[in-house]
């Protein structure tokens, strides 16, 4: 923060910045490990593009200074740029970490427990996304924007809001968390494992549109606005579902010329 004397002014560009950025130059020059010891954070997010930045020492220090399960998100990709691996994070935290990464990683074993790496909705067909066995713990997830972007874009485009504000993006992210149930939390999954992608997109689109209206934005889609004003969230969801594209086609049977006439 030493070189950022304009944190207050930056609030206009970064939603709720004051909750995350502190004007405290006393820690300038500290290493990452020293900063963790001083601040004792419960979440570590990697957006550096520097592979291996979260060393064993950094991750162990994170675990030692965090009473709750530490949240480790090395989001840089490709894999070579990831700040740490799933195995590394779980090994250094004794299998306690809530982990999500920007790159896929295989399952890992800690103290005899298999910690499964899930991608997207834990469906088959993607790397490292095998069928889960009884006793597996979903503690590692690939952080994928397939959840946020469709719903956020749907709410803004369908509503014709004309702008996507920082608050609308934040609201979409918060809406995704609303779909995580107790089973997901027990398995330490970072994304809703049971919700269908259409349900997720509709829920996020609904919250995005609501936020736009709360901010005083006047949506050009008057029909969508009327649905929301008339029937609240329920009618808004019905409208959003009605505008989704479904790949349903009539079955076609080829008949040679003259046949069936």
């Amino acid at each position: 923060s030493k070189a950022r004397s304009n944190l207050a002014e930056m609030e206009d560009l970064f939603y709720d910045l004051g909750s995350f950025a502190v004007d405290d130059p006393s820690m300038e020059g500290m290493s990452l490990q020293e900063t963790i010891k001083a601040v004792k954070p419960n979440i570590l997010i990697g957006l550096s593009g520097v592979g291996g930045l979260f060393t064993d020492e950094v991750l162990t220090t994170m675990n030692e200074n965090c009473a709750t399960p530490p949240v480790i998100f090395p989001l840089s990709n490709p894999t070579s740029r990831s700040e740490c691996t799933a195995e590394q994070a779980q090994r250094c935290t004794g299998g306690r970490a809530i982990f999500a990464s920007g790159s896929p990683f295989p399952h890992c074993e800690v103290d005899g427990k298999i910690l499964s790496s899930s991608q997207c909705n834990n469906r088959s067909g993607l790397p490292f996304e095998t069928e889960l066995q009884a006793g597996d713990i979903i503690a590692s997830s690939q952080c994928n924007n397939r959840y946020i972007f469709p719903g956020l874009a749907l709410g803004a485009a369908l509503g014709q809001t004309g702008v996507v504000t920082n608050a609308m993006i934040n609201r979409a992210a918060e809406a995704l968390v609303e779909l995580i149930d107790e089973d997901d939390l027990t398995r330490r999954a970072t994304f809703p494992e049971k919700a269908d992608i259409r349900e997720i997109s509709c829920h996020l689109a609904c919250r995005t549109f609501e936020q736009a209206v709360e901010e005083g934005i006047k949506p050009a889609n008057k029909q969508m606005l009327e649905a929301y004003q008339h029937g609240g969230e329920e009618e808004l969801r019905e409208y959003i579902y009605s505008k989704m594209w479904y790949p349903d086609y009539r079955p076609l049977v080829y008949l040679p010329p003259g046949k069936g006439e």
Side-chain angles (χ1 to χ4, degrees):
S1 61
K2 186 176 181 180
R4 302 216 175 155
S5 57
N6 61 336
L7 286 179
E9 292 83 352
M10 291 176 69
E11 282 277 4
D12 292 335
L13 299 176
F14 298 94
Y15 180 71
D16 201 22
L17 179 65
S19 298
F20 304 97
V22 179
D23 186 7
D24 184 4
S26 65
M27 291 189 293
E28 291 291 337
M30 280 188 177
S31 67
L32 179 56
Q33 186 176 4
E34 291 170 338
T35 303
I36 292 172
K37 288 180 179 179
V39 178
K40 294 180 171 49
N42 53 20
I43 181 168
L44 189 61
I45 300 177
L47 300 168
S48 66
V50 179
L53 182 64
F54 298 167
T55 63
D56 284 8
E57 292 75 19
V58 165
L59 294 169
T60 301
T61 302
M62 185 76 181
N63 185 54
E64 292 172 347
N65 288 272
C66 192
T68 57
V71 179
I72 311 294
F73 284 4
L75 300 182
S76 297
N77 54 42
T79 307
S80 62
R81 299 284 186 176
S82 183
E83 286 79 6
C84 69
T85 66
E87 184 278 332
Q88 199 179 357
Q90 299 298 353
R91 171 171 48 79
C92 293
T93 61
R96 297 174 67 227
I98 297 174
F99 180 92
S101 59
S103 300
F105 289 104
H107 302 336
C108 57
E109 183 175 340
V110 177
D111 297 331
K113 292 183 178 180
I114 300 297
L115 303 180
S116 301
S117 296
S118 67
Q119 294 188 90
C120 303
N121 244 9
N122 201 31
R123 295 171 181 168
S124 59
L126 293 172
F128 313 129
E129 196 172 69
T130 57
E131 292 295 324
L132 296 181
Q133 304 298 318
D136 283 5
I137 300 174
I138 301 176
S140 302
S141 302
Q142 185 181 0
C143 189
N144 198 301
N145 59 24
R146 78 184 282 263
Y147 289 107
I148 293 289
F149 283 7
L152 174 64
L154 179 62
L158 183 59
Q160 299 175 37
T161 60
V163 65
V164 176
T165 66
N166 289 325
M168 289 165 67
I169 297 173
N170 272 47
R171 188 70 173 270
E174 292 167 357
L176 182 60
V177 177
E178 294 171 357
L179 296 175
I180 296 177
D181 62 20
E182 289 300 321
D183 288 340
D184 293 327
L185 294 176
T186 300
R187 296 195 305 274
R188 284 181 284 157
T190 51
F191 295 100
E193 296 286 333
K194 298 177 183 177
D196 176 78
I197 190 61
R198 286 188 184 273
E199 177 188 351
I200 293 174
S201 294
C202 179
H203 183 69
L204 269 62
C206 181
R207 292 287 184 261
T208 299
F209 185 78
E210 288 175 341
Q211 178 63 38
V213 173
E214 288 175 15
E215 288 187 71
I217 295 172
K218 297 181 179 179
N221 187 338
K222 302 304 179 185
Q223 188 177 358
M224 188 171 179
L225 182 60
E226 288 173 4
Y228 177 53
Q229 292 173 335
H230 177 265
E233 184 178 321
E234 183 178 354
E235 197 164 317
L236 177 59
R237 288 177 183 275
E238 290 177 359
Y239 179 82
I240 293 171
Y241 272 122
S242 73
K243 296 301 180 180
M244 284 186 177
W245 177 73
Y246 294 85
D248 297 329
Y249 302 95
R250 288 183 177 182
L252 299 177
V253 177
Y254 172 72
L255 292 177
K259 188 173 183 180
E261 293 180 357

